[in-house]
Amino acid sequence: RFSHLNENEKKIVKILLSSEETKQNYFEDLKNESLELLNSLIEKESDEDSIKVLNGFKSNIENGLSEHSMDDNIIHLCELKETLSEI
């Protein structure tokens, strides 16, 4: 049924089909990992415009995620983390 998905996508589907407690724990871990990754990138970056963009993502994670559903937040953070990991 999910054979077309890669391992990351399969993991996300498994989490999204889990209990609210499991989702919340995964979300908190993912949020912390994303913030650590952003902080690391901000420290290494010298371009002011890039720093502003990264700080914008950081601010959204710290303040703006709660207005979306838990599933949406998890999906958005997974996509962000994947993108940031490629930088």
Side-chain angles (χ1 to χ4, degrees), residues 17-73:
L17 297 174
S18 299
S19 69
E20 288 302 313
E21 181 181 355
T22 301
K23 287 181 190 182
Q24 184 64 39
N25 291 337
Y26 185 76
F27 169 74
E28 290 299 328
D29 290 343
L30 192 56
K31 180 179 173 180
N32 290 333
E33 291 172 16
S34 297
L35 289 171
E36 287 175 18
L37 188 54
L38 280 165
N39 285 331
S40 175
L41 289 171
I42 289 168
E43 287 176 15
K44 294 176 186 175
E45 187 59 58
S46 60
D47 180 63
E48 281 298 316
D49 289 335
S50 295
I51 292 172
K52 285 180 185 178
V53 169
L54 293 170
N55 276 321
F57 283 121
K58 184 178 170 183
S59 177
N60 285 342
I61 291 172
E62 292 172 333
N63 304 317
L65 290 176
S66 61
E67 57 195 51
H68 301 288
S69 75
M70 181 62 65
D71 290 354
D72 286 342
N73 287 336

Side-chain angles (χ1 to χ4, degrees), residues 6-23:
N6 67 38
E7 289 306 312
N8 262 356
E9 292 167 334
K10 287 178 186 177
K11 182 179 179 181
I12 294 168
V13 168
K14 183 178 177 182
I15 295 295
L16 295 177
L17 297 174
S18 299
S19 69
E20 288 302 313
E21 181 181 355
T22 301
K23 287 181 190 182

